[in-house]
Amino acid sequence: IGMNINKSLHVLGNVINSLVESAKKKKHIPFRDSKLTHYLKDSLGGNSITKLLANIHTSKLYLGDTISTLMFAKRAKSLKLKA
């Protein structure tokens, strides 16, 4: 199950990146690469208002994960949807 979650989150990152880049040029968006992104297609690339909640940890043990989460949130924030 953990591998499937990691794959879905990786594909979600790819979809966010593709959507941000597609604003500049037409590019294929890989929504069908995972069930998560397939189900979120209308929320991510459609005509909707979408909110993202990024959960981070304050411990130094999770610094790498926290930085990765914040970088993902920053990329997602740059995505502009028109509802």
Side-chain angles (χ1 to χ4, degrees), residues 12-25 27-31 40-41 43-46 75 78-81:
L12 178 61
N14 289 343
V15 166
I16 297 285
N17 287 338
S18 295
L19 286 168
V20 169
E21 292 174 11
S22 73
K24 301 171 189 169
K25 57 184 175 182
K27 186 177 178 182
H28 169 72
I29 311 298
F31 287 114
L40 293 175
K41 180 180 179 180
S43 297
L44 295 172
R75 279 193 316 267
S78 67
L79 182 60
K80 302 298 181 201
L81 300 175

Side-chain angles (χ1 to χ4, degrees), residues 49-83:
I49 295 174
T50 303
K51 302 286 183 181
L52 173 78
L53 179 65
N55 190 12
I56 59 172
H57 201 285
T58 57
S59 172
K60 289 182 181 179
L61 289 171
Y62 301 101
L63 181 61
D65 293 332
T66 296
I67 291 171
S68 177
T69 299
L70 292 173
M71 289 172 48
F72 174 78
K74 183 179 178 181
R75 279 193 316 267
K77 183 180 177 184
S78 67
L79 182 60
K80 302 298 181 201
L81 300 175
K82 295 177 184 172

